[in-house]
Amino acid sequence: MYQLAASHLSTVRDLLRFAVSRFNEAELTYGHGTDNAHDEAVYLILSALQLPIDKLDPYLDAKLLPDEMTAALELIRRRAEDKVPVAYLTNEAWQGEFNFYVDERVLVPRSFIYELMGEALEPWIEHPELVHRALDLCTGSGCLAIQLAHHYPDAEVDAVDISLDALEVAAVNVERYGLEDRVNLIHTDLFEGLEEKYDLIISNPPYVDAESVDALPQEYLHEPEIALGSGEDGLDATREILRRAPEFLNERGVLLVEIGHNRDMLEECFPTLPFMWMETQSGDGFVFLLTREDIVNAGI
């Protein structure tokens, strides 16, 4: 089919129609940047052709060279048949106004935490300059650590991950943003071996429970399993973070953690903790905030 398409399609409009048809036919799962076949196809095609990703109309009737058509069709085939997330095909993922290099060594960036830095934390961190040192646990591609450095320009940021492969990707992004002097990449398991105290700790740890890991769509199986699952109920890493965070937070320090759909389970496990559930574009049940004082007073 794809060889036939290469000899019959000629314009971006043709290619877009073909891609949407193939994506619908394949019943793809979305969630790595777009939520429907049309938007996924537009982004993939414009990226493949080195065109601005926010300007489709001027190029719809542009004819493609044979090599361009062949290359774009191969990406469409891999998305439709191999179910590869589009971010791995383009080696690029966006989070707000930031874009990052990604490949299959890291999760595709999609954390809600990026929405909550800066103004959203002002009730707890009155001024950005009050954050002198920050920590990003399970940094992956380094996307959140880089955004920490942006929102808190006086902060030195430690970015931790258990995966050396992930830290290699993070290093690419840190260099891309010129933050080698402010973002320190550290290979360790959560807090193991750390000695600093932090004004702000953030984490998007693994939080998918074992049953859900087994049922993940094929797209998500391209992502590193170590970054998805965390024990039978998905909360092993979060428990460790809550247990040890007071050791590493300054007196007025703040902890911000994403836990997916595990709110009910987490509140059941820690009934004395006064979780502040932060509002994001997708609701208020995915990211919690606690101060050091909250955790210490709860006596966990």
Side-chain angles (χ1 to χ4, degrees):
M1 177 186 293
Y2 289 88
Q3 288 184 343
L4 189 63
S7 62
H8 283 74
L9 307 181
S10 61
T11 67
V12 172
R13 190 187 302 273
D14 294 339
L15 192 61
L16 176 60
R17 196 285 307 162
F18 179 81
V20 173
S21 295
R22 299 290 74 73
F23 293 173
N24 284 332
E25 180 181 58
E27 298 182 343
L28 299 181
T29 295
Y30 305 98
H32 291 96
T34 71
D35 61 8
N36 63 83
H38 177 269
D39 290 350
E40 188 98 333
V42 168
Y43 176 73
L44 182 57
I45 290 168
L46 291 176
S47 295
L49 297 175
Q50 304 297 309
L51 295 172
I53 61 171
D54 58 347
K55 293 181 181 178
L56 173 64
D57 288 351
Y59 305 106
L60 275 171
D61 295 312
K63 292 187 176 182
L64 276 63
L65 295 171
D67 287 351
E68 292 177 318
M69 181 65 74
T70 298
L73 284 170
E74 174 59 13
L75 293 180
I76 292 167
R77 185 200 66 77
R78 292 183 64 199
R79 181 68 187 97
E81 294 185 358
D82 300 337
K83 308 292 179 67
V84 179
V86 69
Y88 292 151
L89 297 174
T90 62
N91 292 124
E92 181 179 67
W94 288 82
Q95 213 169 49
E97 61 188 36
F98 292 81
N99 73 309
F100 302 100
Y101 172 85
V102 295
D103 59 33
E104 294 189 20
R105 292 174 289 178
V106 295
L107 288 182
V108 176
R110 53 183 178 275
S111 173
F112 299 116
I113 289 177
Y114 89 90
E115 302 175 34
L116 301 171
M117 297 183 202
E119 287 185 20
L121 292 185
E122 282 183 2
W124 299 273
I125 299 173
E126 191 173 354
H127 303 292
E129 57 267 26
L130 295 176
V131 179
H132 301 289
R133 197 168 194 107
L135 172 64
D136 176 21
L137 292 172
C138 310
T139 195
S141 63
C143 57
L144 293 178
I146 288 165
Q147 289 171 91
L148 272 175
H150 169 77
H151 286 286
Y152 304 100
D154 292 334
E156 185 172 346
V157 180
D158 289 343
V160 168
D161 207 285
I162 195 172
S163 167
L164 278 172
D165 285 340
L167 290 174
E168 289 178 0
V169 175
V172 172
N173 288 313
V174 168
E175 183 178 1
R176 175 181 289 185
Y177 281 93
L179 291 169
E180 297 96 326
D181 293 337
R182 292 186 53 214
V183 177
N184 310 305
L185 300 176
I186 301 171
H187 179 227
T188 192
D189 185 2
L190 297 178
F191 295 106
E192 192 66 33
L194 300 184
E195 298 178 352
E196 300 292 339
K197 296 277 190 177
Y198 301 94
D199 302 299
L200 175 61
I201 297 175
I202 67 169
S203 185
N204 179 28
Y207 56 65
V208 183
D209 63 70
E211 182 179 354
S212 298
V213 168
D214 291 339
L216 283 171
Q218 191 172 340
E219 280 85 350
Y220 292 87
L221 300 181
H222 289 276
E223 297 185 290
E225 184 177 352
I226 194 174
L228 292 169
S230 188
E232 193 63 29
D233 64 1
L235 292 175
D236 283 3
T238 303
R239 286 190 186 89
E240 183 68 4
I241 291 168
L242 287 170
R243 184 179 72 84
R244 300 203 63 189
E247 300 173 45
F248 297 91
L249 284 168
N250 285 322
E251 185 177 347
R252 299 178 63 84
V254 172
L255 174 68
L256 196 65
V257 180
E258 181 167 333
I259 49 86
H261 296 279
N262 292 331
R263 175 174 177 171
D264 291 344
M265 177 68 71
L266 187 67
E267 290 181 328
E268 182 180 329
C269 292
F270 298 97
T272 61
L273 279 175
F275 294 105
M276 172 63 67
W277 294 98
M278 306 296 286
E279 185 68 39
T280 69
Q281 292 179 5
S282 296
D284 63 357
F286 304 103
V287 181
F288 69 77
L289 180 147
L290 290 166
T291 65
R292 181 185 186 277
E293 185 179 16
D294 289 332
I295 305 172
V296 170
N297 289 344
I300 65 167

